[in-house]
């Protein structure tokens, strides 16, 4: 089963396209957990409760590796424990935005797909095909390539003209070719904060799975996702809106309410 096949099956079964982003900032943990002497222990408890509260409405979880790396030597055990706590009916994404030369990329790919193991990861294409290809050597796994991201600085380079079109479209077309040539699944990261770019990438590369950040705290709209979802599998990510819905003891229940509300909005826009 390809990554796309598995994703579509999970989404139909669970009736959701919601991806919950796990970006655990110790400074923003709920007040009952801030008194924990070991921040890593608090993060581990926090994430396990968030997963338990949202697993019924999420088809994927995206773990931002920076937040685990910042925990120092305790970060890797927390990352492993979080993955072990995942339910079987979700896909997991390592959000590390790796993008190094081929020899280094092979080891980054080995780390996320063999040692941990994740179902997918995020990759930067700035150094070209050899920085992405090692992640696409794993059948049944996916690499979501940064294309038109949701941050304000994205326009600094991604919208520069290249052969008469924005650079992000040149990237998207290249990724579509790599997807045909390698055993893994190539996907695209396209932010909901730029509906025009979302539509343009979708038209150029219909069928590739899309990881769509920017909904929620970043202000991206849900409605433009409708046209995309008709032809391409989508994962719509929300992190802060769900994780930090409450800083009190009801944080897990509040996260569930936010996730359910967003799931329902997305289901209207992206019917399975």
């Amino acid at each position: 089963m390809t990554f796309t096949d598995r994703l579509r099956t999970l989404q139909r079964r669970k009736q959701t396209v919601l991806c919950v982003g796990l970006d655990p900032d110790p400074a923003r943990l709920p007040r009952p957990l801030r008194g924990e002497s070991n921040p890593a222990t608090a993060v581990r408890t926090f994430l396990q409760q968030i997963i338990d509260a949202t697993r019924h409405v999420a088809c994927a979880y995206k773990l931002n590796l920076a937040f685990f790396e910042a925990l120092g030597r305790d970060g890797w055990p927390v990352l492993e424990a979080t993955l072990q706590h995942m339910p079987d009916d979700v896909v997991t994404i390592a959000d590390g935005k790796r993008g190094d030369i081929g020899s280094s990329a092979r080891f980054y790919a080995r780390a996320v797909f063999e040692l941990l193991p994740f179902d997918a990861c995020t990759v930067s294409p700035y150094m070209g095909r050899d920085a992405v290809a090692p992640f696409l050597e794993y059948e049944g796994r996916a690499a979501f390539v940064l294309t038109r991201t949701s941050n304000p600085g994205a326009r600094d380079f991604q919208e520069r003209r290249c052969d008469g079109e924005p650079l992000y479209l040149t990237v998207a077309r290249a990724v579509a070719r790599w997807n045909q040539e390698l055993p893994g699944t190539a996907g695209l990261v396209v932010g909901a904060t730029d509906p025009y770019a979302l539509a343009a990438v979708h038209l150029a590369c219909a069928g590739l799975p899309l990881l769509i950040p920017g909904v929620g705290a970043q202000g991206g709209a849900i409605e433009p996702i409708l046209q995309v979802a008709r032809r391409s599998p989508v994962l719509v990510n929300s992190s802060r809106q769900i994780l930090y819905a409450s800083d009190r003891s009801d944080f897990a229940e509040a996260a569930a309410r936010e996730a359910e509300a967003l799931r329902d909005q997305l289901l209207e826009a992206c019917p399975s």
Side-chain angles (χ1 to χ4, degrees), residues 80-98:
E80 288 185 312
T82 302
L83 284 172
Q84 290 169 2
H85 197 75
M86 290 289 173
D88 293 332
D89 58 349
V90 298
V91 298
T92 56
I93 304 169
D95 186 10
K97 301 177 178 68
R98 305 307 194 197

Side-chain angles (χ1 to χ4, degrees), residues 14-190:
K14 299 186 74 173
Q15 290 293 292
T16 180
V17 298
L18 177 63
C19 174
V20 176
L22 302 182
D23 305 356
D25 181 352
R28 296 193 64 182
L29 293 183
R31 282 179 284 180
L33 294 177
R34 291 180 202 165
E36 174 64 51
S37 58
N38 185 345
T41 301
V43 166
R44 177 174 176 170
T45 300
F46 173 67
L47 293 179
Q48 290 182 350
Q49 292 193 41
I50 291 292
I51 293 167
D52 288 343
T54 60
R55 58 188 294 170
H56 63 296
V57 290
C59 64
Y61 288 89
K62 179 173 71 67
L63 286 69
N64 191 319
L65 300 185
F67 290 83
F68 295 89
E69 291 167 359
L71 294 172
R73 64 181 182 182
D74 294 328
W76 188 278
V78 173
L79 184 58
E80 288 185 312
T82 302
L83 284 172
Q84 290 169 2
H85 197 75
M86 290 289 173
D88 293 332
D89 58 349
V90 298
V91 298
T92 56
I93 304 169
D95 186 10
K97 301 177 178 68
R98 305 307 194 197
D100 209 337
I101 60 173
S103 57
S104 299
R106 286 196 297 273
F107 282 87
Y108 280 129
R110 184 181 301 175
V112 297
F113 290 149
E114 296 182 30
L115 297 183
L116 284 169
F118 280 92
D119 299 302
C121 64
T122 58
V123 183
S124 171
Y126 191 78
M127 295 182 72
R129 178 190 169 110
D130 56 315
V132 178
F135 297 90
L136 296 176
E137 294 292 347
Y138 290 81
E139 190 172 358
R141 309 295 179 89
F144 287 95
V145 181
L146 304 182
T147 305
R148 176 55 173 94
T149 53
S150 59
N151 59 303
R155 59 180 60 92
D156 292 346
F157 300 118
Q158 295 168 17
E159 292 185 358
R160 297 287 179 128
R161 307 301 290 183
C162 179
D163 295 330
E165 66 181 11
L167 178 58
Y168 65 77
L169 275 180
T170 301
V171 170
R173 296 184 202 280
V175 173
R177 291 195 300 272
W178 303 339
N179 183 65
Q180 296 296 319
E181 298 165 358
L182 295 164
T185 296
L188 304 170
V189 179
V190 187

